[in-house]
Amino acid sequence: MSFEVVDPGMLTLVQDLGRFGYQHIGVTTGGPMDEHAFLWANRLLGNPLNAPQLEITFGRLSLLAHSDTTIALTGADLGARLNDRAIEPWQTHEIRKGDRLSFSMPVSGLRAYLAVTGGLDVPARLGSAATVSREQLGGLDGSGNKLAKGDRIALGEPRPVAKASVPYSEIPDYRKPLRVGVIPGYQYRHFPRSVQAKFFTSEYEVSQNIDRMGYRLKGEAIHGDLDGIISEGIAYGAIQIPADGQPIVLMKDRQTIGGYPKIGSLSALGAGQLAQRAPGASVSFYLSDVADAEARRMIFNHRLRQGAPGTAG
């Protein structure tokens, strides 16, 4: 049971929820850039929420099915087609042996998630299949490679799954300007109130310098009274302020330590929404706190557990 990679696209990676417990030795977490979309894909199929999937960035992926299965597509609309028929994200689709599944270019969002019943059958390295290429961890054979032409993707055991879709209220609009909460960090006090006000009232633009390590924004420069700090651990979603004053949001493949001052951090769900924005997209921030972020996560988890009508599991 497998998919054959006819065209790997621009960047297609195996991801599960990530590799935890190794940052103290310099190994980052990896995992899906958009947890919201990743988790819904597994939920639609009744998979364990950590079941490995494909993260498809920018599209151009083409797969040939060598067995029957059911898939779930979530996240970005990358112009998916099943044979000659357009198919929509945020729902399940039946796949038959000989079918061709392909993606064109982004219509909305940047990253799509492709889950299959039973998950992908891939090895774990340090407890995870998440691909982090620079660390040579994860992926189809555990060595950190992105998908390549001719690869065979082993699939989990298929089982009957009822047709299901994500509730409309849970489907983000990635084309809208993003407004996202920032939880202040302990270095927040080193940014004068006037600078804090500028940060929270400015609009930033997603620059061309984005990848799985970080998102560099451009707009109003901000500066604190710290020129630098002793290198320390970096949280997912942390907002670093380098010497040029242009914020950098650290993402899933971030380095584990860094020495730039940080004004605060996005929540995991907030960072996931940023990860779906392309260069040129508008981003602004509002002051949040841990309680607000926890409440939003609890609401999301509750809705995820409720699942979608027709979902197995």
Side-chain angles (χ1 to χ4, degrees), residues 2-16:
S2 67
F3 282 135
E4 178 184 347
V5 179
V6 178
D7 188 328
M10 296 186 69
L11 179 65
T12 306
L13 302 173
V14 173
Q15 296 293 345
D16 58 18

Side-chain angles (χ1 to χ4, degrees), residues 199-246:
F199 178 72
F200 287 114
T201 57
S202 297
E203 283 198 0
Y204 289 89
E205 181 181 315
V206 176
S207 77
Q208 296 288 333
N209 297 318
I210 60 171
D211 58 19
R212 284 186 49 88
M213 285 189 68
Y215 260 54
R216 182 181 288 272
L217 307 179
K218 58 182 180 180
E220 286 282 351
I222 61 171
H223 300 280
D225 60 20
L226 293 173
D227 293 329
I229 60 172
I230 297 172
S231 290
E232 62 183 8
I234 300 176
Y236 173 44
I239 304 173
Q240 290 187 332
I241 308 299
D244 66 3
Q246 301 297 313

Side-chain angles (χ1 to χ4, degrees), residues 1-264:
M1 295 176 291
S2 67
F3 282 135
E4 178 184 347
V5 179
V6 178
D7 188 328
M10 296 186 69
L11 179 65
T12 306
L13 302 173
V14 173
Q15 296 293 345
D16 58 18
L17 283 173
R19 186 172 289 104
F20 299 98
Y22 299 96
Q23 292 185 72
H24 65 292
I25 57 171
V27 176
T28 196
T29 58
M33 288 282 277
D34 182 355
E35 288 184 17
H36 175 102
F38 177 93
L39 290 167
W40 268 114
N42 274 331
R43 182 66 186 90
L44 287 175
L45 296 173
N47 285 344
L49 293 180
N50 193 40
Q53 302 178 22
L54 295 182
E55 179 182 83
I56 307 156
T57 302
F58 291 111
R60 296 298 189 189
L61 174 69
S62 180
L63 301 173
L64 176 65
H66 286 276
S67 56
D68 295 352
T69 190
T70 303
I71 66 168
L73 286 180
T74 59
D77 181 349
L78 300 182
R81 300 186 71 84
L82 183 56
N83 300 318
D84 294 324
R85 177 173 58 88
I87 58 175
E88 297 294 321
W90 301 103
Q91 57 189 268
T92 59
H93 301 277
E94 294 295 321
I95 302 293
R96 300 299 177 211
K97 183 178 179 180
D99 282 348
R100 179 75 66 93
L101 179 63
S102 60
F103 299 82
S104 57
M105 295 294 285
V107 176
S108 171
L110 289 183
R111 295 174 171 86
Y113 293 85
L114 169 59
V116 301
T117 51
L120 306 181
D121 187 6
V122 292
R125 294 290 185 268
L126 299 180
S128 171
T131 305
V132 182
S133 295
R134 76 171 187 278
E135 294 176 354
Q136 299 181 340
L137 289 172
L140 295 182
D141 62 0
S143 62
N145 293 322
K146 63 183 182 180
L147 261 59
K149 183 177 180 178
D151 281 346
R152 286 291 188 102
I153 307 168
L155 310 180
E157 190 69 32
R159 65 181 186 283
V161 177
K163 178 71 176 178
S165 59
V166 173
Y168 181 77
S169 62
E170 299 303 303
I171 300 176
D173 183 352
Y174 301 132
R175 292 168 292 195
K176 292 174 59 176
L178 179 64
R179 185 162 172 78
V180 63
V182 173
I183 304 164
Y186 78 94
Q187 292 153 6
Y188 181 71
R189 61 188 174 86
H190 290 284
F191 294 87
R193 293 196 178 208
S194 60
V195 172
Q196 296 170 8
K198 181 192 294 186
F199 178 72
F200 287 114
T201 57
S202 297
E203 283 198 0
Y204 289 89
E205 181 181 315
V206 176
S207 77
Q208 296 288 333
N209 297 318
I210 60 171
D211 58 19
R212 284 186 49 88
M213 285 189 68
Y215 260 54
R216 182 181 288 272
L217 307 179
K218 58 182 180 180
E220 286 282 351
I222 61 171
H223 300 280
D225 60 20
L226 293 173
D227 293 329
I229 60 172
I230 297 172
S231 290
E232 62 183 8
I234 300 176
Y236 173 44
I239 304 173
Q240 290 187 332
I241 308 299
D244 66 3
Q246 301 297 313
I248 304 172
V249 182
L250 280 300
M251 305 299 264
K252 290 286 187 167
D253 288 1
R254 66 200 178 279
Q255 68 274 27
T256 56
I257 61 172
Y260 289 130
K262 295 172 285 294
I263 196 168

Side-chain angles (χ1 to χ4, degrees), residues 33 178 180-181 236 251 266-275 277 297:
M33 288 282 277
L178 179 64
V180 63
Y236 173 44
M251 305 299 264
L266 306 185
S267 69
L269 293 177
Q273 292 304 299
L274 178 61
R277 265 57 182 190
R297 187 71 190 213

Side-chain angles (χ1 to χ4, degrees), residues 289-302:
D289 57 27
V290 172
D292 177 65
E294 287 180 340
R296 291 174 184 270
R297 187 71 190 213
M298 288 174 66
I299 291 169
F300 168 72
N301 290 345
H302 174 71

